[in-house]
Each structure stands twice: as C-alpha cells, then as structure tokens.
Amino acid sequence: MADLTAPLTEVELQILRVLWDLGPSPVRDIHARLDAEKGTNYSTTVKMLSVMLQKDLVARTEDERPHVYRSRVSRKAAGKRMAKHLIDRVYEGSAWSLVLQVLSTERPSGEEIAEVRRLLDELEESK
C-alpha cells in the first residue's frame, strides 16, 4: 500500500484528483484532463504515472490495452496525509493550533459550528 507519511507533490495530487473524479482511466483520459487544466505534456503525464506506480499511489491493469490506472489512495486518506504534514511542519505537531487557525481565518457557517460541537461532544464522551 502507498506510503501515507510522505507528502504528495502538486502533480501527484492533480493526477489523483483526476482519478477520483473520473474513476479508473487510461492515460489519454488522464492526460486530456491535465492538459485542459494545466497544459501538461503527454510525456510528463506518462512519466508521473510511472513514478506514482512505483510509489504505490496508483495501480495499473496489466492484462488489457490501453492500461487503465486507478487511485490506490482515497481522497480522505490523502487529506489526512496532507493535514498531518501541515500540522507537523507549520504547527509543530499541534492539531489544535491548526483548528484554531482555520476557525479564526474563515467564519464557519452555523452548520459547520454545529458539526464542530458534535465532534467535541464525541471527544468528551470518549474520555
């Protein structure tokens, strides 16, 4: 399974987003989306998929042509991975500092505040 500790590069994240949106896809479909969004070179797409295959971030069918790639990392797992990296690098390991920063940066909606309260209640109950 993919190493969930190393940070994802911007290009890896772009490719994963394409695969999350499209589902399993051949290189041409992945490249078409990347090219439309970023003007990416076809050879760059192929090379990045090869690197991501080695890193176990994607899987590839070997028994059909064209090869079909699929993500081996869920959106949720990638989000946790990136949040952990941010917490470690910017907030010196303090998730609470990140939460306070986020809540003070952008005014949460009533629904979001209710969700935070619900999560805090769950944490209190599990003590």
Side-chain angles (χ1 to χ4, degrees):
M1 194 55 153
D3 174 11
L4 296 179
T5 58
L8 295 169
T9 68
E10 184 60 32
V11 175
E12 289 169 345
L13 188 56
Q14 289 170 351
I15 290 172
L16 288 172
R17 281 189 198 121
V18 169
L19 290 171
W20 295 329
D21 290 347
L22 298 179
S25 303
V27 175
R28 71 177 176 275
D29 293 352
I30 298 166
H31 172 69
R33 178 72 71 90
L34 292 174
D35 188 40
E37 293 173 4
K38 303 285 182 189
T40 304
N41 222 314
Y42 185 83
S43 61
T44 301
T45 302
V46 171
K47 177 64 177 168
M48 281 310 303
L49 283 166
S50 175
V51 169
M52 291 174 73
L53 192 60
Q54 291 174 345
K55 290 175 139 183
D56 206 23
L57 295 171
V58 297
R60 176 179 72 190
T61 61
E62 298 293 335
D63 57 341
E64 58 184 88
R65 297 274 190 214
H67 292 304
V68 173
Y69 289 83
R70 67 176 174 77
S71 173
R72 291 192 50 118
V73 179
S74 70
R75 190 181 299 261
K76 183 176 182 178
K80 282 184 176 183
R81 175 184 192 161
M82 295 183 78
K84 173 87 173 101
H85 185 69
L86 180 65
I87 290 165
D88 290 345
R89 293 201 59 207
V90 178
Y91 296 98
E92 299 173 355
S94 172
W96 182 243
S97 293
L98 172 61
V99 169
L100 291 176
Q101 180 66 47
V102 169
L103 292 174
S104 67
T105 301
E106 189 175 305
R107 177 88 177 132
S109 69
E111 186 176 294
E112 291 166 332
I113 290 171
E115 179 66 12
V116 169
R117 280 193 181 114
R118 186 188 65 73
L119 289 170
L120 290 172
D121 289 344
E122 280 181 21
L123 289 172
E124 279 295 315
E125 290 171 9
S126 68
K127 278 188 171 183

